[in-house]
PDB file of all heavy atoms in Angstrom:
ATOM      1  N   VAL J  16      13.311   2.106   5.827  1.00  0.00           N
ATOM      2  CA  VAL J  16      12.944   3.019   6.913  1.00  0.00           C
ATOM      3  C   VAL J  16      11.589   3.656   6.644  1.00  0.00           C
ATOM      4  O   VAL J  16      10.747   3.766   7.547  1.00  0.00           O
ATOM      5  CB  VAL J  16      14.035   4.093   7.100  1.00  0.00           C
ATOM      6  CG1 VAL J  16      13.620   5.096   8.171  1.00  0.00           C
ATOM      7  CG2 VAL J  16      15.368   3.440   7.468  1.00  0.00           C
ATOM      8  N   LEU J  17      11.353   4.068   5.384  1.00  0.00           N
ATOM      9  CA  LEU J  17      10.069   4.665   5.034  1.00  0.00           C
ATOM     10  C   LEU J  17       8.931   3.685   5.295  1.00  0.00           C
ATOM     11  O   LEU J  17       7.905   4.036   5.882  1.00  0.00           O
ATOM     12  CB  LEU J  17      10.081   5.088   3.563  1.00  0.00           C
ATOM     13  CG  LEU J  17       8.804   5.742   3.026  1.00  0.00           C
ATOM     14  CD1 LEU J  17       8.505   7.037   3.761  1.00  0.00           C
ATOM     15  CD2 LEU J  17       8.936   6.006   1.533  1.00  0.00           C
ATOM     16  N   GLY J  18       9.099   2.434   4.863  1.00  0.00           N
ATOM     17  CA  GLY J  18       8.063   1.432   5.068  1.00  0.00           C
ATOM     18  C   GLY J  18       7.806   1.167   6.536  1.00  0.00           C
ATOM     19  O   GLY J  18       6.655   1.014   6.967  1.00  0.00           O
ATOM     20  N   GLU J  19       8.869   1.113   7.342  1.00  0.00           N
ATOM     21  CA  GLU J  19       8.706   0.832   8.774  1.00  0.00           C
ATOM     22  C   GLU J  19       7.998   1.985   9.487  1.00  0.00           C
ATOM     23  O   GLU J  19       7.117   1.759  10.323  1.00  0.00           O
ATOM     24  CB  GLU J  19      10.074   0.583   9.407  1.00  0.00           C
ATOM     25  CG  GLU J  19      10.015   0.273  10.886  1.00  0.00           C
ATOM     26  CD  GLU J  19       9.197  -0.961  11.211  1.00  0.00           C
ATOM     27  OE1 GLU J  19       9.134  -1.891  10.367  1.00  0.00           O
ATOM     28  OE2 GLU J  19       8.609  -1.007  12.314  1.00  0.00           O
ATOM     29  N   LEU J  20       8.349   3.225   9.139  1.00  0.00           N
ATOM     30  CA  LEU J  20       7.687   4.366   9.785  1.00  0.00           C
ATOM     31  C   LEU J  20       6.226   4.451   9.364  1.00  0.00           C
ATOM     32  O   LEU J  20       5.353   4.770  10.186  1.00  0.00           O
ATOM     33  CB  LEU J  20       8.426   5.664   9.453  1.00  0.00           C
ATOM     34  CG  LEU J  20       9.767   5.854  10.160  1.00  0.00           C
ATOM     35  CD1 LEU J  20      10.400   7.175   9.759  1.00  0.00           C
ATOM     36  CD2 LEU J  20       9.602   5.800  11.673  1.00  0.00           C
ATOM     37  N   ARG J  21       5.927   4.172   8.099  1.00  0.00           N
ATOM     38  CA  ARG J  21       4.524   4.144   7.670  1.00  0.00           C
ATOM     39  C   ARG J  21       3.749   3.091   8.457  1.00  0.00           C
ATOM     40  O   ARG J  21       2.619   3.318   8.890  1.00  0.00           O
ATOM     41  CB  ARG J  21       4.442   3.839   6.180  1.00  0.00           C
ATOM     42  CG  ARG J  21       4.750   5.021   5.274  1.00  0.00           C
ATOM     43  CD  ARG J  21       4.466   4.594   3.859  1.00  0.00           C
ATOM     44  NE  ARG J  21       4.730   5.649   2.900  1.00  0.00           N
ATOM     45  CZ  ARG J  21       5.370   5.471   1.762  1.00  0.00           C
ATOM     46  NH1 ARG J  21       5.849   4.279   1.463  1.00  0.00           N
ATOM     47  NH2 ARG J  21       5.551   6.461   0.919  1.00  0.00           N
ATOM     48  N   THR J  22       4.348   1.913   8.618  1.00  0.00           N
ATOM     49  CA  THR J  22       3.677   0.842   9.350  1.00  0.00           C
ATOM     50  C   THR J  22       3.431   1.249  10.793  1.00  0.00           C
ATOM     51  O   THR J  22       2.351   1.005  11.346  1.00  0.00           O
ATOM     52  CB  THR J  22       4.531  -0.445   9.307  1.00  0.00           C
ATOM     53  OG1 THR J  22       4.670  -0.867   7.960  1.00  0.00           O
ATOM     54  CG2 THR J  22       3.886  -1.558  10.117  1.00  0.00           C
ATOM     55  N   ARG J  23       4.395   1.904  11.414  1.00  0.00           N
ATOM     56  CA  ARG J  23       4.238   2.315  12.812  1.00  0.00           C
ATOM     57  C   ARG J  23       3.173   3.392  12.975  1.00  0.00           C
ATOM     58  O   ARG J  23       2.478   3.434  13.998  1.00  0.00           O
ATOM     59  CB  ARG J  23       5.576   2.795  13.367  1.00  0.00           C
ATOM     60  CG  ARG J  23       6.607   1.682  13.458  1.00  0.00           C
ATOM     61  CD  ARG J  23       7.891   2.128  14.117  1.00  0.00           C
ATOM     62  NE  ARG J  23       8.874   1.046  14.131  1.00  0.00           N
ATOM     63  CZ  ARG J  23      10.001   1.061  14.844  1.00  0.00           C
ATOM     64  NH1 ARG J  23      10.280   2.112  15.594  1.00  0.00           N
ATOM     65  NH2 ARG J  23      10.817   0.030  14.798  1.00  0.00           N
ATOM     66  N   ILE J  24       3.034   4.256  11.984  1.00  0.00           N
ATOM     67  CA  ILE J  24       1.948   5.236  12.022  1.00  0.00           C
ATOM     68  C   ILE J  24       0.614   4.536  11.814  1.00  0.00           C
ATOM     69  O   ILE J  24      -0.376   4.809  12.494  1.00  0.00           O
ATOM     70  CB  ILE J  24       2.165   6.339  10.958  1.00  0.00           C
ATOM     71  CG1 ILE J  24       3.403   7.187  11.303  1.00  0.00           C
ATOM     72  CG2 ILE J  24       0.936   7.229  10.844  1.00  0.00           C
ATOM     73  CD1 ILE J  24       3.788   8.185  10.228  1.00  0.00           C
ATOM     74  N   ALA J  25       0.583   3.575  10.861  1.00  0.00           N
ATOM     75  CA  ALA J  25      -0.662   2.874  10.545  1.00  0.00           C
ATOM     76  C   ALA J  25      -1.171   2.045  11.706  1.00  0.00           C
ATOM     77  O   ALA J  25      -2.371   1.985  11.957  1.00  0.00           O
ATOM     78  CB  ALA J  25      -0.467   1.984   9.306  1.00  0.00           C
ATOM     79  N   ASP J  26      -0.255   1.379  12.448  1.00  0.00           N
ATOM     80  CA  ASP J  26      -0.731   0.505  13.519  1.00  0.00           C
ATOM     81  C   ASP J  26      -0.801   1.196  14.876  1.00  0.00           C
ATOM     82  O   ASP J  26      -1.096   0.561  15.886  1.00  0.00           O
ATOM     83  CB  ASP J  26       0.118  -0.776  13.604  1.00  0.00           C
ATOM     84  CG  ASP J  26       1.563  -0.514  14.026  1.00  0.00           C
ATOM     85  OD1 ASP J  26       1.863   0.568  14.558  1.00  0.00           O
ATOM     86  OD2 ASP J  26       2.399  -1.424  13.837  1.00  0.00           O
ATOM     87  N   GLY J  27      -0.554   2.515  14.904  1.00  0.00           N
ATOM     88  CA  GLY J  27      -0.767   3.282  16.129  1.00  0.00           C
ATOM     89  C   GLY J  27       0.420   3.365  17.057  1.00  0.00           C
ATOM     90  O   GLY J  27       0.320   3.965  18.132  1.00  0.00           O
ATOM     91  N   ARG J  28       1.560   2.798  16.694  1.00  0.00           N
ATOM     92  CA  ARG J  28       2.730   2.932  17.565  1.00  0.00           C
ATOM     93  C   ARG J  28       3.192   4.385  17.633  1.00  0.00           C
ATOM     94  O   ARG J  28       3.748   4.819  18.648  1.00  0.00           O
ATOM     95  CB  ARG J  28       3.857   2.017  17.087  1.00  0.00           C
ATOM     96  CG  ARG J  28       3.715   0.578  17.563  1.00  0.00           C
ATOM     97  CD  ARG J  28       4.829  -0.298  17.047  1.00  0.00           C
ATOM     98  NE  ARG J  28       4.635  -0.672  15.653  1.00  0.00           N
ATOM     99  CZ  ARG J  28       5.482  -1.402  14.958  1.00  0.00           C
ATOM    100  NH1 ARG J  28       6.614  -1.814  15.527  1.00  0.00           N
ATOM    101  NH2 ARG J  28       5.234  -1.728  13.700  1.00  0.00           N
ATOM    102  N   TYR J  29       2.971   5.135  16.556  1.00  0.00           N
ATOM    103  CA  TYR J  29       3.152   6.584  16.574  1.00  0.00           C
ATOM    104  C   TYR J  29       1.778   7.196  16.304  1.00  0.00           C
ATOM    105  O   TYR J  29       1.414   7.464  15.158  1.00  0.00           O
ATOM    106  CB  TYR J  29       4.161   7.037  15.514  1.00  0.00           C
ATOM    107  CG  TYR J  29       5.562   6.520  15.733  1.00  0.00           C
ATOM    108  CD1 TYR J  29       6.353   6.117  14.659  1.00  0.00           C
ATOM    109  CD2 TYR J  29       6.113   6.434  17.005  1.00  0.00           C
ATOM    110  CE1 TYR J  29       7.645   5.650  14.839  1.00  0.00           C
ATOM    111  CE2 TYR J  29       7.395   5.958  17.207  1.00  0.00           C
ATOM    112  CZ  TYR J  29       8.158   5.569  16.119  1.00  0.00           C
ATOM    113  OH  TYR J  29       9.441   5.100  16.311  1.00  0.00           O
ATOM    114  N   PRO J  30       0.958   7.398  17.339  1.00  0.00           N
ATOM    115  CA  PRO J  30      -0.429   7.839  17.136  1.00  0.00           C
ATOM    116  C   PRO J  30      -0.530   9.302  16.725  1.00  0.00           C
ATOM    117  O   PRO J  30       0.457  10.050  16.743  1.00  0.00           O
ATOM    118  CB  PRO J  30      -1.075   7.598  18.507  1.00  0.00           C
ATOM    119  CG  PRO J  30       0.060   7.669  19.478  1.00  0.00           C
ATOM    120  CD  PRO J  30       1.263   7.155  18.756  1.00  0.00           C
ATOM    121  N   LEU J  31      -1.738   9.682  16.354  1.00  0.00           N
ATOM    122  CA  LEU J  31      -2.020  11.063  15.968  1.00  0.00           C
ATOM    123  C   LEU J  31      -1.596  12.016  17.081  1.00  0.00           C
ATOM    124  O   LEU J  31      -1.841  11.762  18.265  1.00  0.00           O
ATOM    125  CB  LEU J  31      -3.519  11.211  15.689  1.00  0.00           C
ATOM    126  CG  LEU J  31      -3.987  12.529  15.070  1.00  0.00           C
ATOM    127  CD1 LEU J  31      -3.441  12.679  13.669  1.00  0.00           C
ATOM    128  CD2 LEU J  31      -5.510  12.575  15.058  1.00  0.00           C
ATOM    129  N   ASP J  32      -0.920  13.111  16.675  1.00  0.00           N
ATOM    130  CA  ASP J  32      -0.442  14.173  17.568  1.00  0.00           C
ATOM    131  C   ASP J  32       0.798  13.779  18.370  1.00  0.00           C
ATOM    132  O   ASP J  32       1.285  14.579  19.169  1.00  0.00           O
ATOM    133  CB  ASP J  32      -1.537  14.651  18.534  1.00  0.00           C
ATOM    134  CG  ASP J  32      -2.654  15.382  17.803  1.00  0.00           C
ATOM    135  OD1 ASP J  32      -2.352  16.079  16.820  1.00  0.00           O
ATOM    136  OD2 ASP J  32      -3.815  15.246  18.216  1.00  0.00           O
ATOM    137  N   SER J  33       1.301  12.563  18.153  1.00  0.00           N
ATOM    138  CA  SER J  33       2.517  12.175  18.867  1.00  0.00           C
ATOM    139  C   SER J  33       3.745  12.688  18.124  1.00  0.00           C
ATOM    140  O   SER J  33       3.685  13.039  16.942  1.00  0.00           O
ATOM    141  CB  SER J  33       2.591  10.658  19.014  1.00  0.00           C
ATOM    142  OG  SER J  33       2.822  10.043  17.747  1.00  0.00           O
ATOM    143  N   GLN J  34       4.859  12.730  18.802  1.00  0.00           N
ATOM    144  CA  GLN J  34       6.125  13.155  18.208  1.00  0.00           C
ATOM    145  C   GLN J  34       6.913  11.939  17.742  1.00  0.00           C
ATOM    146  O   GLN J  34       7.001  10.938  18.461  1.00  0.00           O
ATOM    147  CB  GLN J  34       6.959  13.920  19.246  1.00  0.00           C
ATOM    148  CG  GLN J  34       6.370  15.245  19.681  1.00  0.00           C
ATOM    149  CD  GLN J  34       6.641  16.347  18.675  1.00  0.00           C
ATOM    150  OE1 GLN J  34       7.572  16.270  17.876  1.00  0.00           O
ATOM    151  NE2 GLN J  34       5.839  17.392  18.716  1.00  0.00           N
TER     152      GLN J  34
END
Side-chain angles (χ1 to χ4, degrees):
V16 177
L17 180 62
E19 180 60 30
L20 287 180
R21 282 187 180 135
T22 298
R23 294 185 183 192
I24 293 173
D26 66 17
R28 278 179 282 178
Y29 296 141
L31 189 66
D32 292 325
S33 69
Q34 294 280 338

